[in-house]
Amino acid sequence: MKSIKLLLLLTSFVFLNGCSNKKLQSSNTHVPYEFSILQLNDVYEISPIQGGKYGGMARVETVHQDLLRKNKNVLLVHAGDFLNPSLLGTIKVNGERVRGKQMVEVMNAMNFDVTAFGNHEFDLSYKDLQKRINESSFDWISSNVLHKISGKKERFYKETIGVKKDLKDTYIKEFTFGENKTLRVGFISVCIPSNPKDYVHYGNIYENIKRSYNELKPKVDIVLGLTHLSIDQDKKIAEMLPELPLIMGGHEHTNSYDYVGNVAIAKADANAKTVYIHRFKYDPSAKTLTFKSELKEINDKITSNVKVSTIIKKWQDILNIKIKEVVDNPEEVIYIASEPLDARDTPIRSIQTNMGDMITRSMSYAYNNEVDCALVNGGSVRIDDVLSGDINAIDIFRVLPYGGAVLKVNLTGALLEKVLDYGMSSAGTGAYLQRYNVNKVGGKWMIGENEINKSKEYSVAFSDYLLKGFDIPFLNEKNKEVLHIYEPQKNEIAYDIRRATITYLKEL
C-alpha cells in the first residue's frame, strides 16, 4: 500500500514538474530579446566643447559603460563624419599631420562596433584615409562609395598585418540570449555625394541602399539604417523602405527625430553635445520589434571615463603646446555668444554669415580699422558647426585651424571689384568671400556708402592664403594692380588671424 502511495506521489511530482517546465518554456518564447544602440554622428572633437560644458568622448564612454552594466547587448555606432574637420587634425606630430588619428585611437578605446562613411572622411587624401582605416578596430560600411583607382572602381579595404580585407556594404551583429538563442541585427548605409574626390566613386544612394536592403533582409531578423545623408534624402529612403523601423542618421548638426510612416529618423547634435540611446525589444514568437529612443545630453554632470580620458589628455597636451605659441591661455572664455555664430560649411561658403562678419571685423581691427574693407575666403573656416554660449580661444582655433597672417594690401579699385565678383560667383565653394564694410547694392559694389572707384587705390585686409592665388588665380603679388603688401611682424596682432579674432572678441 505504501509502495502504491509512493508511486502515485512520484508520478504526480514528475507530471507537475513537467507541466511547470513546459509552462516555463512556453513563457520564455514570449520573453522579448532586449538590446540597445548608442548612436553618435558628426563628432570632430574628442574633448568637451563650449568651455567644457558639453560633449567629450570620455563622458560618452561613461554612458556606454552604464548601458553595458545593465545589459551586455549594446552596440556603439557612428553615423559618419569624424576624421575631419578638427583642430587636432591640422597639427603636425613627428612631422606628419594628425588627420583624424586621434579620433580613431579614442574610438578604438571605446570599442565602437561600426561606423558609416561621412562626406568629411574624404577631406583626407587617400593615403591618410587608408592609414585611418587600417588603424581602426571597428567596421566601416557604405553601399554607394567605392575606391576609384586607375579607371577602375573597387571596394575600400582594411589592411591588418599585411592582410587586406574588403570593407562591406552592410554590417551584421549577432546577439545571444540564454542558451542557443540568437538575434541577428543588420545595418545598411549610404553616404551623401557632396565631397567629390578623384579617388572616390559615389553610386546612386537610392539604388544602392535598396539593393543592400534586399540582399541583407533574408540574412537577419532586423534591418536598421545607419546613414550619412540630408534629412530630405533620409525621408525619401524611409518612403522607399517602409519596413525599416529606424534610420540613425548624420550630416545635419542639430538633433532631430522625425517619422515617415512608421519609419523613425534620428539625428543627434554634432560633437557629442547629445547622443541617442535606442532601447529595443524583439518578440521572437511574433517576430515584432518595438523600441524607445532617448536623446541624452552629454554635459559636465557626467563623469569622464578614466581610460578614454587618459588618451584625450595626451592629445590635448600636444594641442595646448601648439596653441600657446599664439595665445597664453587657451581655456579662457573670451566671448559669450547669445546668438549662435554660424560657421557651418554650406552657409559660410554661400552667404554672408555672422561668423564671417566677426572674423573680417577682427581683421580690420588688427589694423586699427585703418583699412577700407576686409576679406577672407569661406574655405578658411573649417569647423562646420555653430558656436554658442561661452567661447574660448580653443574654439577660435577650431574655426580657423590653419591660422596665417592678416595682410594689409593696397590695390586698385578695378582689381578689388574683380576679386569681389569672383568671390560672389564662387558661391558654394571655399573661394566665396566673407566680407566687412563692402556690399553689393543694386548691382554695384559699395565700400561703406560709396561705390568703388576703379581708378582709386584701396587698402584691404586679406587673409594671407588669398594672396597665394589658390582660390582666386589672379590675386597674387605678381599682379601689377597689387600695389603694395604689408606683412605683419610676429609681435603684431595681425601676425595670426586667430590672435586677431581672439583679441577682438575680448574687447567686445
Side-chain angles (χ1 to χ4, degrees):
M1 188 72 174
K2 288 182 179 179
S3 62
I4 293 172
K5 286 183 178 180
L6 182 60
L7 180 62
L8 288 171
L9 185 62
L10 287 169
T11 302
S12 298
F13 176 78
V14 170
F15 175 76
L16 290 172
N17 192 51
C19 288
S20 177
N21 282 339
K22 285 179 181 177
K23 184 178 180 181
L24 180 62
Q25 289 170 5
S26 176
S27 64
N28 274 348
T29 61
H30 294 286
V31 173
Y33 297 164
E34 297 186 7
F35 67 96
S36 298
I37 297 178
L38 179 56
Q39 171 202 340
L40 293 85
N41 52 269
D42 304 87
V43 181
Y44 314 110
E45 300 297 336
I46 55 178
S47 298
I49 59 173
Q50 291 181 225
K53 289 185 178 180
Y54 301 103
M57 294 296 269
R59 294 170 180 167
V60 175
E61 179 59 7
T62 295
V63 174
H64 182 213
Q65 291 299 322
D66 286 346
L67 289 171
L68 285 167
R69 275 189 285 273
K70 295 169 186 174
N71 183 347
K72 66 182 178 66
N73 293 314
V74 178
L75 269 166
L76 182 56
V77 306
H78 197 298
D81 272 11
F82 57 96
L83 293 183
N84 197 66
S86 74
L87 176 55
L88 261 167
T90 65
I91 67 173
K92 286 185 177 181
V93 176
N94 299 323
E96 186 177 336
R97 292 203 185 272
V98 174
R99 303 293 193 213
K101 187 179 181 71
Q102 83 287 1
M103 186 64 76
V104 171
E105 185 176 351
V106 167
M107 290 173 69
N108 285 347
M110 295 172 70
N111 294 313
F112 268 80
D113 292 280
V114 60
T115 181
F117 275 99
N119 55 292
H120 277 303
E121 270 61 86
F122 303 118
D123 288 348
L124 275 62
S125 67
Y126 171 68
K127 180 181 177 182
D128 286 326
L129 176 60
Q130 189 62 61
K131 286 180 181 178
R132 301 296 88 83
I133 294 173
N134 293 347
E135 291 161 2
S136 65
S137 59
F138 45 86
D139 284 77
W140 304 58
I141 57 170
S142 182
S143 62
N144 77 313
V145 296
L146 294 170
H147 181 203
K148 192 163 57 177
I149 180 169
S150 302
K152 297 180 180 180
K153 291 174 284 188
E154 302 174 352
R155 290 185 184 276
F156 285 97
Y157 65 86
K158 181 187 291 188
E159 184 172 355
T160 308
I161 319 176
V163 178
K164 294 181 181 179
K165 187 176 180 181
D166 287 343
L167 303 184
K168 297 180 180 180
D169 287 2
T170 59
Y171 175 80
I172 297 174
K173 175 66 176 182
E174 186 169 281
F175 292 115
T176 58
F177 298 88
E179 295 181 6
N180 303 319
K181 295 174 183 177
T182 61
L183 178 70
R184 290 169 66 82
V185 182
F187 295 80
I188 54 177
S189 182
V190 281
C191 175
I192 188 170
S194 65
N195 192 3
K197 287 296 174 76
D198 57 7
Y199 70 86
V200 182
H201 168 78
Y202 295 96
N204 183 280
I205 57 178
Y206 305 112
E207 291 175 3
N208 280 282
I209 201 162
K210 187 174 182 179
R211 170 187 57 77
S212 60
Y213 174 82
N214 290 332
E215 290 173 355
L216 181 64
K217 197 173 188 317
K219 303 174 185 177
V220 297
D221 300 294
I222 302 164
V223 180
L224 302 172
L226 185 67
T227 64
H228 194 85
L229 300 170
S230 71
I231 186 63
D232 290 338
Q233 291 168 326
D234 277 320
K235 287 180 177 180
K236 186 171 180 179
I237 287 171
E239 290 174 358
M240 289 171 47
L241 304 174
E243 294 183 5
L244 202 65
L246 173 65
I247 296 173
M248 291 164 282
H251 194 59
E252 277 87 7
H253 286 191
T254 304
N255 77 78
S256 61
Y257 201 84
D258 297 280
Y259 274 99
V260 176
N262 293 322
V263 184
I265 305 168
K267 304 196 183 205
D269 291 285
N271 283 317
K273 285 180 277 191
T274 61
V275 298
Y276 260 110
I277 301 170
H278 308 287
R279 295 178 173 90
F280 297 83
K281 292 183 179 181
Y282 179 77
D283 186 331
S285 298
K287 295 185 178 180
T288 55
L289 178 74
T290 59
F291 65 92
K292 291 183 179 180
S293 301
E294 175 195 354
L295 182 70
K296 185 171 182 62
E297 185 178 88
I298 304 300
N299 56 38
D300 53 10
K301 294 178 182 177
I302 301 172
T303 57
S304 295
N305 176 270
V306 175
K307 176 184 175 183
V308 176
S309 288
T310 302
I311 298 169
I312 291 173
K313 184 180 184 304
K314 176 191 75 173
W315 286 105
Q316 198 63 40
D317 287 346
I318 294 170
L319 179 61
N320 284 339
I321 291 170
K322 297 289 183 180
I323 293 177
K324 285 180 179 179
E325 293 174 2
V326 181
V327 294
D328 295 328
N329 188 358
E331 301 287 349
E332 179 188 4
V333 174
I334 57 171
Y335 182 71
I336 299 174
S338 55
E339 179 185 345
L341 298 175
D342 194 347
R344 292 172 297 163
D345 273 2
T346 299
I348 205 81
R349 298 176 181 220
S350 304
I351 59 173
Q352 184 77 22
T353 77
N354 55 359
M355 186 76 248
D357 180 68
M358 192 75 78
I359 294 168
T360 49
R361 283 178 182 272
S362 303
M363 294 165 66
S364 175
Y365 173 83
Y367 286 105
N368 298 312
N369 295 317
E370 294 175 357
V371 292
D372 294 300
C373 62
L375 301 170
V376 66
N377 55 310
S380 290
V381 177
R382 305 297 295 175
I383 189 175
D384 193 14
D385 202 357
V386 295
L387 294 180
S388 59
D390 292 351
I391 295 174
N392 60 21
I394 292 175
D395 291 319
I396 301 306
F397 273 70
R398 290 170 57 219
V399 173
L400 298 161
Y402 293 107
V406 179
L407 306 179
K408 186 177 180 182
V409 181
N410 287 21
L411 72 169
T412 65
L415 179 58
L416 176 56
E417 200 171 73
K418 188 178 178 183
V419 166
L420 291 166
D421 283 337
Y422 190 97
M424 187 65 75
S425 68
S426 301
T429 75
Y432 181 82
L433 297 175
Q434 294 292 319
R435 310 176 301 277
Y436 168 65
N437 202 41
V438 58
N439 290 288
K440 200 165 194 178
V441 180
K444 297 178 181 179
W445 284 108
M446 311 288 287
I447 298 287
E449 297 180 356
N450 300 312
E451 182 182 349
I452 290 178
N453 182 338
K454 292 184 179 181
S455 60
K456 184 180 174 181
E457 181 176 328
Y458 290 89
S459 175
V460 181
F462 277 110
S463 55
D464 66 349
Y465 179 85
L466 276 174
L467 266 292
K468 295 175 182 177
F470 295 131
D471 275 358
I472 303 176
F474 53 84
L475 183 60
N476 57 68
E477 60 184 9
K478 295 180 180 179
N479 190 313
K480 292 180 180 179
E481 292 185 90
V482 173
L483 307 175
H484 182 261
I485 299 174
Y486 175 77
E487 296 187 19
Q489 301 301 304
K490 195 169 185 177
N491 63 333
E492 295 182 83
I493 295 172
Y495 185 76
D496 191 297
I497 191 171
R498 299 167 300 194
R499 182 190 293 166
T501 304
I502 291 165
T503 305
Y504 174 71
L505 289 177
K506 289 172 72 173
E507 291 294 319
L508 293 180

